[in-house]
Amino acid sequence: MTDLKEGVCLSAFWYSHEQCCWTSNETTFDDRDKCPKWQKWSELLVNQSEGASAYILNYFLYIMWALSFAFLAVSLVRVFAPYACGSGIPEIKTILSGFIIRGYLGKWTLLIKTVTLVLVVSSGLSLGKEGPLVHVACCCGNFFSSLFSKYSKNEGKRREVLSAAAAAGVSVAFGAPIGGVLFSLEEVSYYFPLKTLWRSFFAALVAAFTLRSINPFGNSRLVLFYVEYHTPWYMAELFPFILLGVFGGLWGTLFIRCNIAWCRRRKTTKLGKYPVLEVITVTAITAIIAYPNPYTRRSTSELISELFNDCGALESSQLCDYINDPNMTRPVDDIPDRPAGFGVYTAMWQLALALIFKIIITIFTFGMKIPSGLFIPSMAVGAMAGRMVGIGVEQLAYHHHDWIIFRNWCRPGADCVTPGLYAMVGAAACLGGVTRMTVSLVVIMFELTGGLEYIVPLMAAAVTSKWVADAFGKEGIYEAHIHLNGYPFLDAKDEFTHRTLATDVMRPRRGEPPLSVLTQGSMTVEDVETLIKETDYNGFPVVVSKDSERLIGFAQRRELILAIKNARQRQDGVVSNSIMYFTEDPPELPANSPHPLKLRRILNLSPFTVTDHTPMETVVDIFRKLGLRQCLVTRSGRLLGIITKKDVLRHMAQMANQDPESIMFN
Amino acid sequence: MTDLKEGVCLSAFWYSHEQCCWTSNETTFDDRDKCPKWQKWSELLVNQSEGASAYILNYFLYIMWALSFAFLAVSLVRVFAPYACGSGIPEIKTILSGFIIRGYLGKWTLLIKTVTLVLVVSSGLSLGKEGPLVHVACCCGNFFSSLFSKYSKNEGKRREVLSAAAAAGVSVAFGAPIGGVLFSLEEVSYYFPLKTLWRSFFAALVAAFTLRSINPFGNSRLVLFYVEYHTPWYMAELFPFILLGVFGGLWGTLFIRCNIAWCRRRKTTKLGKYPVLEVITVTAITAIIAYPNPYTRRSTSELISELFNDCGALESSQLCDYINDPNMTRPVDDIPDRPAGFGVYTAMWQLALALIFKIIITIFTFGMKIPSGLFIPSMAVGAMAGRMVGIGVEQLAYHHHDWIIFRNWCRPGADCVTPGLYAMVGAAACLGGVTRMTVSLVVIMFELTGGLEYIVPLMAAAVTSKWVADAFGKEGIYEAHIHLNGYPFLDAKDEFTHRTLATDVMRPRRGEPPLSVLTQGSMTVEDVETLIKETDYNGFPVVVSKDSERLIGFAQRRELILAIKNARQRQDGVVSNSIMYFTEDPPELPANSPHPLKLRRILNLSPFTVTDHTPMETVVDIFRKLGLRQCLVTRSGRLLGIITKKDVLRHMAQMANQDPESIMFN
């Protein structure tokens, strides 16, 4: 569908340009691109392939196709599944941390996200399919776990399935099974026991295996951007690699700040009320600016693939237009460094313009009401910058091979600099700057490219990029979006080092009315019904008596309401005056008193407690590791208060000098 | 030193055979092996290189060298650092789970283990250096963390350094930085937060970088066994790969059972009293049997390297002795399948004998009182089996390419089966069977070999091997040794699914004397000193009074003793009759009463508590995730009992129908 914007295959309209010309008999590379079965729109409609009017017609139709794809996508999302927009990773992180967003992983979301993802990628917008594929995979995981009661009834088990699904999603998106498992571990999952690690591994194995059987890239390889470089890297090259890491970190910071500022503006101003118009406008601008530049006109993954490639002898790309030494007769895969030709200089200009355009447009694209991933645009930005740096270093080394830094490893006639490697390192650095991944990033990159020899450059760039980006702000793009949307997410990465105690955080504070509690054997049904009506707490601690306040358990609001309703309907003698007993054996009552209501079975006898002197550092640790929603605070068995996850989040925000009211469920 | 067993380099005695002949001018492969500077012992001593007497002399000297290396190693270990023996991974796992083994990570252990590791590997015993290198790296980590008070004073931080050190150790051992991080995560570490993940990643990066700068393999590559295969794998080959997985699982089970049985015998019978004799005997047997067979005579890593290799046109190895078609003129790296020659058949027999020998001798070698790793012997067993299966499949496909299973992908004259790949898969399967690694195994294997294309076969073999091995017993070799030695290790991988409650596990049981507790303001110094003398508990719960038993805190035995000692020495008026107060403000006492002792500052006011109704599943989860050593059990604030880690381990053993008394600190 991406190629449909430019032309159509006469033998079968669903073929891409490349597939269409595969069957062609032309054998040289140039001819294959111009095979007769593939017709540009101008050729088909007005029988012209060159000239200004043909160009304008093609330009116009390119924009029209892009607009119709984007309009269809945004309409489908708005009408059928509003949750299908965005990358979905911030929400999945929140869901895996224990929060429930109903319908987020539903069947409609799955269906609509799959369809619209195809449309938006084809429309040429600056976005990728990889992040949304994680969401799609989690929808599948949720669907399958709803089929088995073992998983549908146990929230924890369901989350393990979702962790594995996220791994399988990345495995399929990039053809990177191990990278997928690590992505799920490092970026998506909240609680990732070893058991889940190895189940995710199995899911990713099956995903990779299925992918290989389908063989979508037609080359029997799992990897998306397969590269083969012919030279090792040299120690002196670490300097430009680290520079690329710095660039990646700066790009990550810039992108996150600008994107969040823009998304906040969208949330708070009228802009958010016209999502369709916004998508149409951005698509139109993208298409208008993208068409004239060959590096933005094509699909972004093709662009990345070309930038990663080493220039072999058979390469016809403009980026490989070097001036060859006519006397040279060498084996084809060991071409020495050569001076750049006219094509390379043109390409450099076009790449520079494409880079600026990508940087700006991606800020406005990510966060619109369509499925949109960040991996591919970030990688494209990094690959463009990296390739330009690489060509620069290569030409410097060629023209100045007597400089001290080049003298040791770059003699004349040697193949010492591989610009494609710089593109790969730049892509890793930019992706790292935006997402703050480290290990999973490096694994994904070398699974993507097959470039196992280049772990150290990739690691150096990833680490530098993370450092630089972290210096300007700790949050990656997903955490920033979680924060922007106010999801109750307790980040496992932040360290809590303040010396506050549980007593400083718990409710009620000094001067506030006392905690709403139930007593084990003195409240009537009516008392409890009033309490339920007047408050909206999720549950109530149960104490021995109002005086002693010794805690015996915790009763869920939902179960209390249900138990009272059932008792009033079915149990004769239970009236508003009946006394509710949470004790094991209610005492014998006088004959004329109303029938008592025994509720011990709904009482949670092991509520989680801490003492009021417990340091908040420990409390935060317990909340994180045990995934609690609330925790009771006691002193010598006396109930003093309660700490909820919200309280913990508010306190952490306060300690970090942020507005505590920004933490809320909205 | 390994080559010193066979001969000596005249130009420099510390050169290995290969290094010695690098400088030689002979260019053909056969001649290089026989360069004049390298002399066998028989050539040097009696000027004979062929013949029976020369063979016997070489044989004899081979055994003598092996014995002297092994004797030196075992003596050094016995005299200077008894903790330097074994692989060290079970102990490091235990240490990282919170148990302290004094001196295990000390400087002497570091020094002696480094030296003896070189000796035992050179002695030709069936062991590897990779596991012990993890121990060595952890010793370094421990040493460095002792230099900074931030790490030396905080046990948790020190464990994080050790986790990162383990990653760096594997990174250096295999040249596999990412595999190292994953090994630390999957196999070694107990608690591995994301912060540690990314610090380990940095440590592994620096380790890999340093390794590359030193360039130990002389090929600018990080990887130990670099391979390049020229053909992809085919779907039908999954069947033999899975068979290799089954073999790996069976070998893992057999090895663990036999090795544990032998080690138990060593622990419980007189055998354990003669460690030097044991090492000498095993070394002698190894050397005597190993010398005649070329596949056991050389070092195990060379053997693995040869087994992994694809047969190129220049390969002179016996394993590549195929019958060439004289009419064939093809490029060198795309050799079609050929019928096996005499050399291959000889190699098959020798490999089969070597395989049986390795399987048996490794069982007796691992666990002796010398440093010994399991990675390399396991991989060798798998690689030998894999190569034999690979050659079998290759010959089957060559002679029967009209069979249905071969017809689709193996036409005559095609290069369809790569026996080296089978060796790689077999090595992964055997390593997986013994250690039960999954993700880290696959990552290490492809970092080792550079064979990124072969993730799916490796994953399939690893998963099959784990399944088969788990069917016979859940424990990997490291867990089995932890169990054998009775270390208090709470495995994070086991699921606890029984429906027991905290009240069933806590002490005191019904009928036992009540818990030894302190009261907050009624016990005298003498009472407490008696209690300390009569019991050996690590600490005592503090309650309001013996009647109410309301818990207010927990006091450590060590701090109590210290506080009483200090008070008696320095505080005037503190005598045996003085009352100890744990309250905030001790009451005013009559003038003539002895001076009270205030101890609130040593009281832990936030001891961890659960109620008696808490399911043990939750308790086990809390112990694991929070790394507790004990936990108090209360009901409505009244102290009922205590659960220690030992109680939890005993209960888990009981539930699994094991002898609970096997869990102890010995």
Side-chain angles (χ1 to χ4, degrees):
Chain A
M1 277 171 73
T2 302
D3 287 353
L4 209 58
K5 299 206 298 290
E6 296 191 50
V8 70
C9 185
L10 294 183
S11 54
F13 73 91
W14 58 87
Y15 274 3
S16 73
H17 190 161
E18 201 186 339
Q19 285 173 316
C20 186
C21 296
W22 269 348
T23 48
S24 147
N25 288 324
E26 331 292 329
T27 45
T28 67
F29 281 75
D30 269 346
D31 285 351
R32 229 168 63 172
D33 270 5
K34 290 176 192 136
C35 74
K37 279 181 197 156
W38 178 261
Q39 297 225 312
K40 286 188 186 173
W41 289 113
S42 61
E43 287 176 279
L44 193 74
L45 300 177
V46 298
N47 221 346
Q48 270 187 311
S49 70
E50 303 287 329
S53 59
Y55 188 85
I56 290 169
L57 179 64
N58 283 330
Y59 200 167
F60 177 74
L61 282 169
Y62 182 92
I63 298 167
M64 283 299 118
W65 276 110
L67 287 177
S68 29
F69 289 154
F71 178 74
L72 190 57
V74 70
S75 315
L76 281 172
V77 168
R78 266 188 77 74
V79 175
F80 294 104
Y83 282 142
C85 67
S87 87
I89 293 178
E91 287 79 9
I92 288 166
K93 277 179 80 118
T94 313
I95 289 173
L96 288 179
S97 83
F99 186 57
I100 293 167
I101 309 178
R102 288 206 190 285
Y104 199 82
L105 301 174
K107 273 168 261 178
W108 273 107
T109 311
L110 171 61
L111 187 70
I112 295 298
K113 191 143 193 171
T114 312
V115 173
T116 52
L117 194 52
V118 175
L119 290 169
V120 290
V121 170
S122 325
S123 76
L125 279 162
S126 179
L127 45 79
K129 66 177 197 305
E130 281 67 19
L133 270 181
V134 174
H135 184 184
V136 166
C138 283
C139 290
C140 294
N142 191 48
F143 173 72
F144 286 121
S145 64
S146 73
L147 297 182
F148 303 95
S149 69
K150 183 180 171 192
Y151 294 96
S152 61
K153 286 192 180 156
N154 184 331
E155 197 61 28
K157 288 239 171 265
R158 209 161 62 87
R159 277 183 231 149
E160 285 179 23
V161 173
L162 294 184
S163 290
V170 176
S171 170
V172 169
F174 288 111
I178 293 166
V181 173
L182 287 173
F183 181 79
S184 178
L185 163 69
E186 195 179 1
E187 203 53 41
V188 181
S189 297
Y190 191 75
Y191 168 61
F192 203 87
L194 282 178
K195 212 176 44 182
T196 310
L197 180 75
W198 117 252
R199 284 169 191 181
S200 302
F201 180 63
F202 186 70
L205 163 68
V206 174
F209 186 78
T210 314
L211 189 69
R212 203 199 114 103
S213 315
I214 298 171
N215 198 2
F217 312 117
N219 58 359
S220 288
R221 295 191 191 281
L222 273 182
V223 299
L224 192 52
F225 309 116
Y226 183 78
V227 288
E228 248 178 309
Y229 300 137
H230 305 289
T231 39
W233 57 278
Y234 299 91
M235 216 52 106
E237 288 186 288
L238 268 187
F239 179 68
F241 293 152
I242 285 173
L243 271 189
L244 284 173
V246 173
F247 171 78
L250 291 177
W251 142 258
T253 307
L254 176 82
F255 176 79
I256 292 170
R257 294 235 173 135
C258 296
N259 181 256
I260 291 297
W262 180 248
C263 287
R264 179 163 292 130
R265 171 165 286 249
R266 186 189 290 127
K267 269 179 98 81
T268 51
T269 63
K270 271 188 186 168
L271 193 70
K273 289 185 188 150
Y274 309 105
V276 179
L277 195 65
E278 188 192 358
V279 170
I280 292 295
T281 314
V282 173
T283 312
I285 294 172
T286 309
I288 289 168
I289 302 180
Y291 189 80
N293 188 333
Y295 292 105
T296 48
R297 190 194 301 173
R298 71 181 67 186
S299 80
T300 319
S301 29
E302 273 177 46
L303 169 65
I304 296 174
S305 186
E306 181 174 339
L307 292 171
F308 280 7
N309 245 339
D310 193 14
C311 285
L314 297 172
E315 209 60 59
S316 63
S317 148
Q318 195 186 12
L319 274 169
C320 293
D321 178 25
Y322 290 91
I323 298 163
N324 282 310
D325 184 347
N327 305 325
M328 198 76 77
T329 49
R330 283 249 197 167
V332 289
D333 57 353
D334 185 27
I335 300 173
D337 283 0
R338 297 156 295 175
F342 178 71
V344 173
Y345 288 113
T346 319
M348 289 282 269
W349 273 111
Q350 289 172 340
L351 275 182
L353 291 173
L355 176 64
I356 295 167
F357 168 65
K358 271 274 175 208
I359 287 179
I360 295 170
I361 201 72
T362 309
I363 290 168
F364 294 97
T365 307
F366 188 72
M368 293 199 302
K369 295 282 171 225
I370 44 171
S372 57
L374 249 188
F375 275 61
I376 290 284
S378 297
M379 282 173 68
V381 165
M384 285 190 274
R387 185 82 188 202
M388 290 197 297
V389 171
I391 291 175
V393 173
E394 181 194 44
Q395 293 306 310
L396 205 66
Y398 177 79
H399 292 293
H400 303 280
H401 42 68
D402 49 344
W403 286 6
I404 292 172
I405 45 164
F406 298 123
R407 209 183 292 158
N408 290 327
W409 52 281
C410 205
R411 273 153 310 170
D415 178 16
C416 38
V417 180
T418 312
L421 172 62
Y422 285 72
M424 196 165 108
V425 170
C430 284
L431 194 50
V434 171
T435 59
R436 309 294 158 81
M437 306 192 290
T438 51
V439 189
S440 52
L441 172 66
V442 174
V443 175
I444 288 179
M445 283 308 293
F446 78 60
E447 280 194 280
L448 265 181
T449 55
L452 194 73
E453 293 296 306
Y454 303 99
I455 295 179
V456 172
L458 286 172
M459 277 182 150
V463 167
T464 315
S465 153
K466 190 183 157 71
W467 269 343
V468 171
D470 277 353
F472 291 102
K474 282 273 173 201
E475 286 182 331
I477 184 73
Y478 302 129
E479 286 84 32
H481 271 265
I482 285 173
H483 201 130
L484 176 74
N485 291 321
Y487 297 130
F489 179 73
L490 188 55
D491 197 342
K493 284 177 208 162
D494 294 342
E495 264 181 284
F496 185 88
T497 50
H498 304 282
R499 291 173 169 273
T500 46
L501 297 179
T503 184
D504 306 325
V505 179
M506 69 177 190
R507 306 263 161 154
R509 302 279 164 79
R510 255 170 235 141
E512 285 181 356
L515 207 62
S516 305
V517 295
L518 304 177
T519 57
Q520 67 172 358
S522 64
M523 287 173 91
T524 62
V525 170
E526 198 175 7
D527 293 341
V528 176
E529 282 177 330
T530 318
L531 187 66
I532 290 174
K533 215 170 282 166
E534 281 171 0
T535 61
D536 58 352
Y537 302 126
N538 279 325
F540 304 92
V542 180
V543 295
V544 172
S545 70
K546 291 258 176 187
D547 298 329
S548 86
E549 287 192 326
R550 277 169 54 188
L551 178 72
I552 62 160
F554 193 83
Q556 292 281 338
R557 177 197 187 86
R558 212 178 40 197
E559 295 190 10
L560 266 178
I561 294 175
L562 203 72
I564 293 175
K565 195 176 138 209
N566 281 346
R568 275 190 183 269
Q569 282 174 355
R570 287 179 214 159
Q571 262 176 274
D572 286 338
V574 170
V575 292
S576 301
N577 270 352
S578 294
I579 292 189
M580 286 174 63
Y581 284 100
F582 290 100
T583 50
E584 225 154 331
D585 302 297
E588 282 297 312
L589 294 169
N592 61 343
S593 58
H595 202 81
L597 179 53
K598 292 184 227 165
L599 287 178
R600 190 167 177 91
R601 66 188 162 74
I602 68 158
L603 189 65
N604 172 7
L605 287 165
S606 54
F608 223 88
T609 59
V610 294
T611 68
D612 55 339
H613 277 87
T614 312
M616 271 311 284
E617 196 180 341
T618 312
V619 175
V620 170
D621 203 44
I622 294 171
F623 266 86
R624 268 182 200 148
K625 288 192 188 152
L626 304 177
L628 298 185
R629 296 202 185 154
Q630 75 265 325
C631 177
L632 297 170
V633 183
T634 59
R635 183 196 287 163
S636 329
R638 258 186 62 219
L639 179 69
L640 293 182
I642 191 169
I643 298 178
T644 63
K645 193 168 175 183
K646 245 162 123 176
D647 296 326
V648 172
L649 285 164
R650 265 203 213 96
H651 180 70
M652 286 175 77
Q654 218 162 12
M655 289 289 120
N657 290 322
Q658 293 166 346
D659 177 20
E661 289 316 307
S662 70
I663 310 292
M664 50 187 166
F665 308 73
N666 59 353
Chain B
M1 278 171 73
T2 301
D3 287 352
L4 209 56
K5 298 206 300 291
E6 295 191 51
V8 71
C9 187
L10 294 184
S11 54
F13 73 92
W14 59 87
Y15 275 3
S16 74
H17 191 162
E18 200 186 341
Q19 284 172 316
C20 187
C21 297
W22 269 346
T23 49
S24 147
N25 288 324
E26 331 292 330
T27 46
T28 66
F29 280 74
D30 269 344
D31 286 350
R32 231 169 59 175
D33 270 5
K34 293 179 190 131
C35 75
K37 279 183 197 154
W38 178 260
Q39 297 226 310
K40 286 188 186 171
W41 289 112
S42 62
E43 289 175 279
L44 193 72
L45 299 177
V46 299
N47 221 347
Q48 269 188 312
S49 70
E50 304 288 327
S53 58
Y55 186 86
I56 289 168
L57 180 64
N58 283 331
Y59 198 168
F60 176 74
L61 283 168
Y62 182 92
I63 297 166
M64 282 300 118
W65 276 108
L67 286 177
S68 29
F69 289 153
F71 178 74
L72 192 55
V74 70
S75 313
L76 282 172
V77 168
R78 266 188 77 74
V79 175
F80 293 105
Y83 282 142
C85 68
S87 87
I89 294 178
E91 286 79 10
I92 288 167
K93 277 178 79 117
T94 312
I95 288 173
L96 288 178
S97 83
F99 185 56
I100 293 167
I101 309 178
R102 290 207 190 283
Y104 198 82
L105 301 174
K107 274 167 261 178
W108 273 108
T109 311
L110 170 62
L111 187 70
I112 295 298
K113 191 142 193 171
T114 312
V115 173
T116 51
L117 194 51
V118 174
L119 289 169
V120 291
V121 170
S122 325
S123 76
L125 278 164
S126 179
L127 45 78
K129 67 177 196 304
E130 282 67 19
L133 270 182
V134 173
H135 185 186
V136 166
C138 284
C139 290
C140 294
N142 191 47
F143 173 72
F144 285 121
S145 65
S146 73
L147 297 182
F148 303 95
S149 68
K150 183 180 172 193
Y151 293 96
S152 61
K153 286 193 179 153
N154 185 331
E155 196 60 28
K157 288 240 172 268
R158 209 163 61 87
R159 277 184 233 148
E160 286 179 22
V161 173
L162 294 185
S163 289
V170 176
S171 171
V172 169
F174 288 110
I178 294 168
V181 173
L182 287 173
F183 181 78
S184 178
L185 163 69
E186 196 178 1
E187 202 55 39
V188 182
S189 298
Y190 192 75
Y191 168 61
F192 202 86
L194 281 177
K195 211 176 45 181
T196 310
L197 180 74
W198 118 252
R199 285 168 191 181
S200 303
F201 180 62
F202 186 71
L205 162 69
V206 175
F209 186 78
T210 315
L211 189 69
R212 204 199 113 102
S213 314
I214 298 172
N215 198 3
F217 310 118
N219 58 0
S220 288
R221 295 190 192 280
L222 273 181
V223 299
L224 191 54
F225 308 117
Y226 184 77
V227 288
E228 248 179 309
Y229 300 137
H230 305 288
T231 38
W233 58 278
Y234 300 91
M235 215 52 105
E237 287 184 286
L238 269 186
F239 179 69
F241 293 152
I242 285 172
L243 270 189
L244 283 172
V246 173
F247 171 77
L250 292 177
W251 142 257
T253 308
L254 175 81
F255 176 79
I256 292 171
R257 295 235 174 136
C258 296
N259 181 256
I260 290 297
W262 180 248
C263 288
R264 178 162 294 131
R265 170 167 287 250
R266 185 187 292 126
K267 270 179 98 83
T268 49
T269 63
K270 272 189 187 169
L271 194 68
K273 291 186 187 148
Y274 309 105
V276 179
L277 194 66
E278 189 192 359
V279 170
I280 293 295
T281 313
V282 173
T283 312
I285 294 172
T286 309
I288 290 168
I289 302 181
Y291 190 81
N293 189 333
Y295 293 104
T296 47
R297 189 194 304 176
R298 70 181 68 187
S299 81
T300 318
S301 28
E302 272 176 46
L303 169 65
I304 296 174
S305 186
E306 181 174 339
L307 292 170
F308 280 9
N309 246 338
D310 193 13
C311 285
L314 298 173
E315 208 60 60
S316 64
S317 149
Q318 196 186 13
L319 275 170
C320 294
D321 178 26
Y322 289 91
I323 298 163
N324 283 309
D325 183 347
N327 305 323
M328 198 76 74
T329 49
R330 283 251 197 163
V332 289
D333 56 353
D334 185 26
I335 299 174
D337 283 358
R338 296 158 295 175
F342 178 70
V344 174
Y345 287 112
T346 318
M348 290 281 271
W349 272 112
Q350 289 172 339
L351 276 181
L353 290 174
L355 177 63
I356 295 166
F357 167 64
K358 272 273 174 209
I359 287 179
I360 294 169
I361 202 71
T362 309
I363 290 169
F364 293 98
T365 307
F366 188 72
M368 290 199 303
K369 295 282 169 222
I370 45 171
S372 57
L374 249 188
F375 276 61
I376 290 284
S378 297
M379 282 172 69
V381 165
M384 285 190 276
R387 186 81 187 203
M388 291 197 298
V389 171
I391 291 174
V393 172
E394 181 195 44
Q395 293 306 312
L396 206 67
Y398 177 80
H399 291 293
H400 302 282
H401 42 66
D402 50 342
W403 285 8
I404 293 172
I405 44 164
F406 298 124
R407 208 181 293 157
N408 291 326
W409 51 281
C410 205
R411 273 153 311 169
D415 178 16
C416 38
V417 180
T418 312
L421 173 61
Y422 286 73
M424 196 164 108
V425 170
C430 283
L431 194 49
V434 171
T435 60
R436 310 293 159 83
M437 305 191 291
T438 51
V439 189
S440 51
L441 172 65
V442 174
V443 175
I444 288 178
M445 283 308 291
F446 78 62
E447 280 194 279
L448 264 183
T449 55
L452 193 72
E453 293 296 305
Y454 303 99
I455 295 178
V456 172
L458 286 172
M459 278 183 150
V463 166
T464 315
S465 152
K466 191 184 155 69
W467 268 343
V468 171
D470 277 354
F472 292 101
K474 282 274 173 201
E475 286 182 331
I477 184 71
Y478 302 129
E479 286 85 30
H481 271 265
I482 285 174
H483 201 129
L484 176 72
N485 291 320
Y487 298 130
F489 179 75
L490 189 55
D491 196 343
K493 283 176 207 161
D494 294 343
E495 264 181 284
F496 185 88
T497 49
H498 304 282
R499 293 175 168 272
T500 46
L501 297 179
T503 185
D504 305 327
V505 179
M506 70 179 191
R507 306 260 162 158
R509 302 280 166 81
R510 255 169 235 142
E512 284 181 356
L515 208 60
S516 304
V517 295
L518 303 177
T519 56
Q520 66 173 0
S522 63
M523 285 174 93
T524 62
V525 170
E526 198 177 5
D527 292 344
V528 175
E529 282 176 331
T530 318
L531 188 65
I532 289 174
K533 215 170 282 166
E534 281 173 359
T535 61
D536 58 351
Y537 302 127
N538 280 325
F540 304 91
V542 180
V543 296
V544 173
S545 70
K546 291 256 177 187
D547 297 331
S548 86
E549 287 191 326
R550 277 167 56 187
L551 179 72
I552 63 159
F554 192 82
Q556 293 281 338
R557 177 196 187 85
R558 211 177 39 198
E559 296 190 9
L560 266 178
I561 293 176
L562 203 72
I564 293 175
K565 195 177 137 206
N566 282 346
R568 276 190 183 269
Q569 282 174 354
R570 287 178 215 159
Q571 261 176 273
D572 287 338
V574 170
V575 292
S576 300
N577 269 350
S578 294
I579 291 189
M580 287 175 62
Y581 283 101
F582 290 99
T583 49
E584 226 152 331
D585 304 295
E588 282 298 314
L589 292 170
N592 61 343
S593 59
H595 202 81
L597 177 54
K598 292 184 226 166
L599 287 178
R600 192 167 176 90
R601 65 188 162 75
I602 68 157
L603 189 64
N604 173 7
L605 287 165
S606 53
F608 223 90
T609 59
V610 294
T611 69
D612 56 337
H613 277 87
T614 312
M616 272 313 284
E617 196 179 341
T618 312
V619 176
V620 169
D621 203 42
I622 293 170
F623 265 86
R624 268 181 199 150
K625 288 191 188 153
L626 303 178
L628 299 184
R629 296 200 187 156
Q630 74 266 325
C631 178
L632 298 170
V633 184
T634 59
R635 182 196 287 163
S636 330
R638 257 186 63 220
L639 179 69
L640 294 181
I642 191 168
I643 298 179
T644 63
K645 195 169 174 183
K646 244 161 122 178
D647 295 328
V648 172
L649 284 164
R650 264 204 214 94
H651 181 69
M652 286 174 76
Q654 218 162 13
M655 288 289 121
N657 290 321
Q658 291 165 345
D659 176 21
E661 290 318 308
S662 70
I663 309 294
M664 48 188 167
F665 307 73
N666 59 351

